[in-house]
Amino acid sequence: MKKILITGSNSYIGTNVEKWLLREPEKYIVETLDMKDENWNQFDFSGFDVVFHVAGIAHIKETKRNKDLYYKVNRDLAYQAALKAKESGVKQFIFLSSMSVYGMETGIITKDTTTNPKTAYGRSKLDAEKLIQEIETSEFKVAILRPPMVYGPDSPGNYQRLSKLALKLPFYPKINNQRSMLYIDNLSIYIKRYIDSNAHGIFFPQNKEYVNTTELISLIRKSHGKKCRETKLFNWMIYLLKPIVLQISKIFGTLYYQYDEDSICLINFPDSIEMIEKEK
């Protein structure tokens, strides 16, 4: 039996991973810690085998005013939690980083791709990675996760916005692109794997299938009984705007991980979309 502390109460990913692990109460004991509480450092980390750190700032608009907050939470808080975990005898620290550390909106990411974050969010995550890895020892393993967009029922972020848009469109672009995405239950299985194997290093969890945006929109519409009308009429406009308009690039550009790690596909892409949309 392993005892796991999730640092970041009520987070979307932390809550779902906790529920998944507690399906096997004979194998896992799970507790969560509210990192917004200024007294979090008084919590006793000793006795835990694993700390899964999910606390962070992500889905807010980045401005000059909140720039420092990214570093305070995503970097400094994460490093403080890792130090406390190490000092308390925790054996493994799993840090939830991001694909944003590469600073890429389009392209193919391999294990040899250089990190080059363009935002305070990406830079703060990469800074945290480096600091935490510096304190790794044979007795304190560090696992860094750089997932692509995580989606699922009631997930925050771009999926819900795209879903709403897809249901309103009378027709939609037929684009040949590929994107890495990660369904929340598949992420939970990855986390379970890393915990069970006491894994350390940098990991790139993703769905087994790459996602085509046209197919995604089509699946969303089909799940609501709506007709699917594709067109290439406005593709020229999308190609022109992709380098200029960030949101268009995020939706219709190609961006995926290419690597050799065994991908987990507990729930395939079409089924994951149907499961999300049927709950609305």
Side-chain angles (χ1 to χ4, degrees), residues 47-62:
F48 287 95
D49 299 290
V50 182
V51 169
F52 177 35
H53 186 79
V54 298
I57 296 177
H59 301 290
I60 63 172
K61 185 176 180 180
E62 191 173 309

Side-chain angles (χ1 to χ4, degrees), residues 198-232:
N198 196 31
H200 68 106
I202 299 177
F203 300 95
F204 314 89
Q206 65 176 346
N207 287 349
K208 189 172 183 179
E209 315 103 313
Y210 296 132
V211 175
N212 172 267
T213 303
T214 300
E215 181 188 3
L216 172 56
I217 294 172
S218 177
L219 288 169
I220 291 171
R221 292 183 64 83
K222 282 180 181 177
S223 67
H224 292 273
K226 292 182 176 288
K227 292 182 179 180
C228 302
R229 298 186 178 96
E230 301 173 2
T231 179
K232 292 184 177 180

Side-chain angles (χ1 to χ4, degrees), residues 31-148:
E31 292 186 35
T32 61
L33 177 62
D34 184 1
M35 300 298 283
K36 293 179 181 178
D37 187 338
E38 293 182 358
N39 297 316
W40 71 266
N41 204 36
Q42 297 179 17
F43 185 84
D44 186 6
F45 280 34
S46 63
F48 287 95
D49 299 290
V50 182
V51 169
F52 177 35
H53 186 79
V54 298
I57 296 177
H59 301 290
I60 63 172
K61 185 176 180 180
E62 191 173 309
T63 66
K64 290 182 179 180
R65 287 188 175 183
N66 65 24
K67 182 179 178 180
D68 290 342
L69 188 60
Y70 279 93
Y71 292 96
K72 181 179 179 181
V73 176
N74 292 347
R75 180 191 63 194
D76 300 342
L77 186 64
Y79 182 55
Q80 291 164 14
L83 279 175
K84 184 171 177 63
K86 181 180 181 180
E87 292 167 356
S88 301
V90 174
K91 298 180 180 68
Q92 182 188 36
F93 189 87
I94 302 176
F95 176 60
L96 186 67
S97 187
S98 170
M99 196 184 212
S100 295
V101 299
Y102 293 100
M104 294 171 60
E105 298 302 335
T106 59
I108 302 170
I109 300 172
T110 70
K111 288 185 177 180
D112 297 321
T113 301
T114 303
T115 53
N116 186 28
K118 301 293 196 306
T119 63
Y121 172 68
R123 287 190 291 269
S124 62
K125 284 290 188 180
L126 184 59
D127 285 354
E129 286 186 18
K130 292 176 179 178
L131 289 170
I132 295 168
Q133 285 178 308
E134 286 177 359
I135 62 172
E136 182 176 22
T137 67
S138 59
E139 301 297 323
F140 180 69
K141 303 292 187 181
V142 172
I144 305 291
L145 276 54
R146 295 176 178 170

